Amino acid sequence: MSGNRKTGFFWHERCFWHDPGAIGVFSAPWEFLQPQPASESPESKRRLKNLLEVSGLIDELEVRKAPPARREDLARFHTGRYLDELEEGDKRRGGDAGECAPYTPGSLAAARQSAGLAIAAVEAVASGELRNAYALCRPPGHHAEADRGRGFCLLGNIPVAVMRARALGQVRRVAILDWDVHHGNGQQAAFYDDPDVLTVSIHQAGNYPLDSGDFNELGEGAGYGANLNLPLPPGSGIGAYRYAMQELVLPAIGGFAPDLIVVACGYDACGKDPLGKMMLNSAAFAAMTQQVKAMAERISNGKLVMIHEGGYSEGYVPLCGHAVIQALAGSRTAVPDPQNDEIAAWAYQSLQPYQRALIDSCREGFRRAAPL
């Protein structure tokens, strides 16, 4: 470790109490849907935290709580009308925050707590108090937009945290990398015209949201070229992600030279996820973490924050998350992954010619952020 600074781990039990309702993989109950727990459940996150306890890795981390986000911090990103609607809905026993973002009483408190964890993690790393950090946020935030919730997300955890840090002068230039299997539309919308925030999303093409995530969405005004999307075809695996990271994503971040790197760390690109069609294993997530961490050491004094986003395999997310946090902390405390080698051996894990061609076709757009 660098000096006495540790890797921070931010979590709060309140986040696990968010209840979207018994909707399964759907956005709302209906007459032919037998009730079942929502795909966005607390179990994948709770099991990750429990695995850190059982392995002992948590004892090597700086474990912290954080206060819930204040309205003034939320209002830097979200409209006052939307925040009012959330508060009124919370009093009325819940509802849907916009699109596929159902909630029940207590969810708003959990969402404010989740955003508070992101705020605290960014502040601690930006100030140099911690070397880097992982925030176990729930509900997730990368789909939430200024005036509505979307895709299980009520509040934009990363935009709220980054906007606050910049408003307080803690950072100036920030790179946000989103490797959740779904497009990071929330970050894109928040910083679409901002030249000092680079947003990069590598995701499954045409999954969610259906109306965003195209390669041609490059930003606007002064921010043109600072928003980059890499929509990969379903079935992309370790080889495609490795090539995309090495050839496009990491050079773009390096060329941008941010003061801080934030990763929207979803695990739904894993081969066991019910809502994605990608094929990563836990070692692939660890490798991407090591790559981004090395980049942060070179260009941003090691300042790296990872914010937990999607991932809906209750059994496999904990293994992926443990591998990521182990890599982030530079720890030797490993947990065996009984599925890792099997997933790596699946057919089409190597970089396919059509995948290479698609990734190479995106070079020109990525050159707007960095010379490749």
Side-chain angles (χ1 to χ4, degrees), residues 182-259:
H182 305 106
H183 176 233
N185 62 290
Q187 289 96 232
Q188 173 172 299
F191 303 108
Y192 205 57
D193 61 354
D194 193 329
D196 289 323
V197 179
L198 174 69
T199 51
V200 183
S201 179
I202 178 170
H203 52 271
Q204 179 184 322
N207 189 323
Y208 183 88
L210 293 175
D211 61 353
S212 68
D214 188 76
F215 165 73
N216 293 319
E217 297 163 15
L218 295 168
E220 63 184 11
Y224 187 77
N227 184 82
L228 302 171
N229 288 313
L230 188 52
L232 296 178
S236 295
I238 297 168
Y241 273 81
R242 181 188 296 123
Y243 186 73
M245 290 288 290
Q246 292 175 346
E247 297 297 317
L248 298 186
V249 174
L250 292 170
I253 294 173
F256 187 74
D259 307 318

Side-chain angles (χ1 to χ4, degrees), residues 43-49 51-52 267 313-323:
E43 280 307 297
S44 59
K45 293 82 176 174
R46 192 189 301 276
R47 287 170 184 250
L48 169 54
K49 190 262 180 182
L51 183 59
L52 295 171
Y267 299 106
S313 172
E314 295 179 2
Y316 202 59
V317 163
L319 294 171
C320 294
H322 193 284

Side-chain angles (χ1 to χ4, degrees), residues 9 20 25 29 32 73 75 94 122 166 179 198 205 236 326 328 335 356:
F9 179 69
V25 299
F32 296 108
D73 292 323
V122 166
R166 295 180 71 207
W179 64 46
L198 174 69
S236 295
Q326 178 191 348
L328 187 64
V335 168
R356 179 192 288 270

Side-chain angles (χ1 to χ4, degrees), residues 104-361:
T104 57
S107 290
L108 180 56
R112 292 179 62 239
Q113 186 67 66
S114 184
L117 294 177
I119 287 171
V122 166
E123 181 170 359
V125 172
S127 68
E129 184 181 346
L130 293 174
R131 181 181 59 165
N132 50 42
Y134 190 99
L136 188 58
C137 295
R138 179 178 184 267
H142 77 140
H143 292 313
E145 297 175 351
D147 59 353
R148 61 173 173 167
R150 297 185 79 180
F152 307 147
C153 303
L154 301 182
L155 297 172
N157 299 327
I158 291 176
V160 166
V162 169
M163 287 182 178
R164 181 181 186 276
R166 295 180 71 207
L168 297 180
Q170 296 169 347
V171 292
R172 187 175 70 88
R173 289 169 67 82
V174 179
I176 301 171
L177 169 60
D178 191 323
W179 64 46
D180 189 282
V181 82
H182 305 106
H183 176 233
N185 62 290
Q187 289 96 232
Q188 173 172 299
F191 303 108
Y192 205 57
D193 61 354
D194 193 329
D196 289 323
V197 179
L198 174 69
T199 51
V200 183
S201 179
I202 178 170
H203 52 271
Q204 179 184 322
N207 189 323
Y208 183 88
L210 293 175
D211 61 353
S212 68
D214 188 76
F215 165 73
N216 293 319
E217 297 163 15
L218 295 168
E220 63 184 11
Y224 187 77
N227 184 82
L228 302 171
N229 288 313
L230 188 52
L232 296 178
S236 295
I238 297 168
Y241 273 81
R242 181 188 296 123
Y243 186 73
M245 290 288 290
Q246 292 175 346
E247 297 297 317
L248 298 186
V249 174
L250 292 170
I253 294 173
F256 187 74
D259 307 318
L260 170 73
I261 300 174
V262 179
V263 175
C265 186
Y267 299 106
D268 35 14
C270 79
K272 298 292 183 177
D273 197 89
L275 300 187
K277 304 301 179 186
M278 300 309 212
M279 302 194 298
L280 298 186
N281 58 6
S282 62
F285 284 105
M288 292 193 297
T289 302
Q290 290 165 346
Q291 289 175 311
V292 177
K293 180 183 175 184
M295 176 66 69
E297 294 290 346
R298 290 197 298 271
I299 65 174
S300 59
N301 198 27
K303 294 180 178 180
L304 170 62
V305 178
M306 308 191 78
I307 306 296
H308 193 106
E309 290 289 348
Y312 307 100
S313 172
E314 295 179 2
Y316 202 59
V317 163
L319 294 171
C320 294
H322 193 284
V324 162
I325 296 170
Q326 178 191 348
L328 187 64
S331 171
R332 295 183 178 180
T333 302
V335 168
D337 174 1
Q339 295 289 301
N340 188 73
D341 293 345
E342 177 186 329
I343 294 173
W346 287 354
Y348 305 103
Q349 279 287 16
S350 61
L351 177 66
Q352 303 299 300
Y354 71 94
Q355 295 167 347
R356 179 192 288 270
L358 186 148
I359 293 168
D360 287 346
S361 72

Side-chain angles (χ1 to χ4, degrees), residues 27-100:
S27 61
W30 64 301
E31 63 177 314
F32 296 108
L33 173 64
Q34 179 176 330
Q36 67 181 96
S39 295
E40 202 296 291
S41 77
E43 280 307 297
S44 59
K45 293 82 176 174
R46 192 189 301 276
R47 287 170 184 250
L48 169 54
K49 190 262 180 182
N50 290 345
L51 183 59
L52 295 171
E53 295 271 10
V54 171
S55 74
L57 179 54
I58 202 167
D59 298 324
E60 303 173 34
L61 309 174
E62 180 74 22
V63 181
R64 296 189 178 184
K65 304 285 172 53
R70 300 176 298 178
R71 178 161 176 139
E72 64 187 85
D73 292 323
L74 299 177
R76 290 191 181 92
F77 175 48
H78 292 290
T79 65
R81 179 178 179 179
Y82 174 60
L83 295 176
D84 289 343
E85 290 173 349
L86 278 180
E87 292 173 5
E88 287 301 314
D90 190 57
K91 295 175 184 176
R92 296 194 307 268
R93 303 192 61 77
D96 196 314
E99 175 191 271
C100 303

